[in-house]
Amino acid sequence: MEKKIDYPAKLFELKKNFRTASLLARDALSAQQRKLKSSLIHDRVYSMPVIQSANSFFIYVSFASEVETHSLIRTLLAAGKCVCVPAVDMSSKVMTPSRIASLENDLAPGCLGILEPVPGCLHPVEIKTIDVVIVPGAAFSEDGYRIGYGGGYYDRFLKDCRAPAVGFAFAMQVFEHVPHDSERDMPVEYIVTENRVILPVRSGN
């Protein structure tokens, strides 16, 4: 059983160490490796019943060495799905789902260079209408907890959104356990890697 973390400062440091090590491993992948692994992840995602039955998606726009999502977004748009991406308010640390019709026309580099809806293409969508949330992460555990990039954006979003969350990760980003606060950190219902689809099992589930 995972040892309980008693001190927030200790938990913060443990998360930081996990994040750094996992991102270094992810960054070490070549562009060709990331492209191939991302394609395998997409293939697995397309076959998932929760994806096939969904009409409205909230999905991150991939950046740097993350599992690529641009081609997935284009596929969902071509299939007539409602695709929403994060519009980020840095001051409040809140993400608003904004519907897009095109990656090329509706998005531009925003915070940290990540593609976001341009001001004239901001089309907020109610969280309750979203069927599936696809989230990034620095590290994931077998029981569904994730370590993000430290801002808490997705944890806050997932607390308000009842749609199942699907974490995208390369295999080296998945660990047996990751340090987490079970009251504040929101787990995902699925983790998809290039090798498998993980259905996390947590005590009490």
Side-chain angles (χ1 to χ4, degrees):
M1 180 179 293
E2 186 181 25
K3 185 177 180 181
K4 181 177 176 58
I5 307 299
D6 294 321
Y7 301 100
K10 180 64 174 177
L11 177 60
F12 177 85
E13 191 65 25
L14 287 171
K15 282 187 174 185
K16 180 180 176 182
N17 292 340
F18 252 88
R19 181 183 299 115
T20 298
S22 187
L23 290 180
L24 282 173
R26 193 180 76 182
D27 291 345
L29 291 171
S30 68
Q32 184 176 5
Q33 288 174 316
R34 285 197 297 271
K35 182 177 180 180
L36 175 59
K37 291 175 185 291
S38 294
S39 179
L40 292 172
I41 288 170
H42 296 172
D43 288 344
R44 293 187 183 281
V45 165
Y46 295 140
S47 66
M48 295 170 62
V50 69
I51 298 296
Q52 293 177 351
S53 63
N55 290 309
S56 179
F57 294 83
F58 179 68
I59 179 170
Y60 73 95
V61 183
S62 57
F63 176 74
S65 63
E66 290 179 329
V67 174
E68 190 270 327
T69 61
H70 294 203
S71 58
L72 175 60
I73 289 172
R74 291 190 180 95
T75 298
L76 293 173
L77 288 171
K81 304 296 185 179
C82 172
V83 177
C84 306
V85 302
V88 178
D89 184 332
M90 291 292 291
S91 60
S92 64
K93 291 194 173 182
V94 169
M95 295 189 304
T96 299
S98 179
R99 184 169 186 172
I100 63 169
S102 165
L103 272 174
E104 290 73 21
N105 299 326
D106 294 352
L107 304 180
C111 176
L112 304 177
I114 301 171
L115 292 177
E116 293 185 35
V118 297
C121 293
L122 188 61
H123 304 290
V125 169
E126 290 189 26
I127 289 179
K128 65 182 181 181
T129 66
I130 294 171
D131 296 323
V132 172
V133 180
I134 296 178
V135 305
F140 291 85
S141 66
E142 295 278 354
D143 56 354
Y145 285 97
R146 61 180 285 277
I147 295 177
Y149 303 123
Y153 290 93
Y154 279 92
D155 288 317
R156 283 186 287 274
F157 185 86
L158 292 176
K159 282 183 180 179
D160 295 328
C161 183
R162 296 186 177 182
V166 180
F168 274 11
F170 298 119
M172 88 277 291
Q173 295 177 260
V174 181
F175 302 84
E176 184 177 357
H177 298 290
V178 298
H180 66 274
D181 179 338
S182 42
E183 292 185 2
R184 297 181 182 180
D185 298 333
M186 302 300 293
V188 298
E189 282 72 32
Y190 306 88
I191 302 167
V192 184
T193 77
E194 69 272 26
N195 298 329
R196 57 186 175 138
V197 175
I198 302 169
L199 278 67
V201 176
R202 293 177 290 279
S203 59
N205 280 12

